[in-house]
Amino acid sequence: MKYYPIHLNIAGKNCAVIGGGQVATRKIKLLLECDAKIFLFSPTVTEYISELAKENLIIWQKHTYMPGDLLKQPFYLVICATDDSKVNEKAALEAKSTGALVDVVDKPNLSDFIVPANFSRGDLQITVSTSGKSPALAKSLKNDLKEQYGEEYGIYLELISQIRTELKDTLSTSNDREDFWRRAFDLDILNLLKEGKVEQAKERIINAVSSTGP
């Protein structure tokens, strides 16, 4: 099976996680980074999840998932991550009946999506997927890419975003914009950012704008 690649906007949307162990913890961390509104169903949880609940960052329903739990309010996305495959399956089928997107950690055939190996550099997100065939290979490739793409890429994106308005006003044609990107994205700028020389890198980007176009 080949998966359709997509990035979802789940900010402020109801997302349910069934289970409170280490797998659920990893899932919750990523959901939090995306500003989801998280409902957790589990009688016991990891210390990390417990702290999140104390800080009101998630809504913890302190019981095992029971039929009907996912019908009490609309959920955009549901992750079934208990160590009981029967509970996962029941929760998945109920969630699907409401139209929610479902990820079942131990049964890809019941899932609407899978979460690829991923990491972020600021607003840059890099993902690696083997369509579920080899999570170990995906993790290994992700670690290789983390070495290759450092924090300077996230800083570069932030600098670029600061001058986007100027870019739109100054560079009116697609050829001008292509020329700008060739000038603004080079190893010298990235190396300056890697060395912490942010102002010098910013100057180089601004010069790329001023030296492009008519």
Side-chain angles (χ1 to χ4, degrees):
M1 177 189 295
K2 188 169 183 177
Y3 288 86
Y4 182 74
I6 188 172
H7 282 197
L8 294 174
N9 175 9
I10 59 173
K13 294 178 180 177
N14 291 348
C15 297
V17 177
I18 314 299
Q22 293 299 330
V23 175
T25 297
R26 292 197 299 271
K27 300 291 186 179
I28 286 173
K29 286 180 178 179
L30 188 54
L31 291 174
L32 278 177
E33 289 177 13
C34 299
D35 298 321
K37 186 175 182 181
I38 304 169
F39 294 76
L40 176 74
F41 296 86
S42 180
T44 58
V45 296
T46 62
E47 184 177 345
Y48 172 81
I49 294 176
S50 178
E51 289 301 316
L52 293 179
K54 290 177 184 177
E55 296 173 17
N56 296 317
L57 295 176
I58 66 172
I59 300 169
W60 178 18
Q61 307 293 332
K62 299 180 182 182
H63 61 79
T64 302
Y65 159 79
M66 295 182 293
D69 279 341
L70 302 177
L71 303 177
K72 295 175 181 177
Q73 59 188 308
F75 287 101
Y76 182 78
L77 185 151
V78 175
I79 296 175
C80 305
T82 76
D83 56 5
D84 188 326
S85 60
K86 291 183 178 179
V87 171
N88 287 344
E89 184 172 352
K90 288 179 181 178
L93 293 175
E94 182 170 275
K96 283 176 175 287
S97 73
T98 69
L101 294 172
V102 176
D103 174 24
V104 186
V105 296
D106 61 349
K107 289 192 176 180
N109 60 308
L110 279 178
S111 301
D112 296 309
F113 67 96
I114 57 175
V115 179
N118 65 88
F119 67 96
S120 297
R121 296 292 186 237
D123 286 332
L124 174 65
Q125 295 184 36
I126 297 178
T127 63
V128 180
S129 173
T130 59
S131 295
K133 292 181 179 177
S134 179
L137 175 60
K139 183 177 181 180
S140 176
L141 291 173
K142 179 196 76 172
N143 290 336
D144 289 344
L145 290 168
K146 286 179 76 173
E147 293 293 325
Q148 184 175 349
Y149 296 96
E151 297 296 341
E152 65 272 14
Y153 283 84
I155 301 170
Y156 169 81
L157 276 180
E158 186 60 31
L159 291 178
I160 285 293
S161 70
Q162 293 174 13
I163 63 170
R164 285 190 68 183
T165 301
E166 180 182 351
L167 175 64
K168 290 177 182 177
D169 294 339
T170 306
L171 308 177
S172 56
T173 71
S174 60
N175 286 338
D176 287 344
R177 288 190 288 272
E178 284 183 22
D179 190 23
F180 162 76
W181 286 114
R182 282 194 297 270
R183 293 171 184 270
F185 187 76
D186 64 37
L187 290 178
D188 287 341
I189 291 175
L190 290 169
N191 285 333
L192 286 172
L193 293 173
K194 194 171 185 178
E195 295 168 6
K197 300 174 181 177
V198 177
E199 289 304 316
Q200 289 178 247
K202 189 173 182 178
E203 271 186 43
R204 289 287 296 270
I205 295 172
I206 292 173
N207 287 338
V209 176
S210 60
S211 61
T212 305

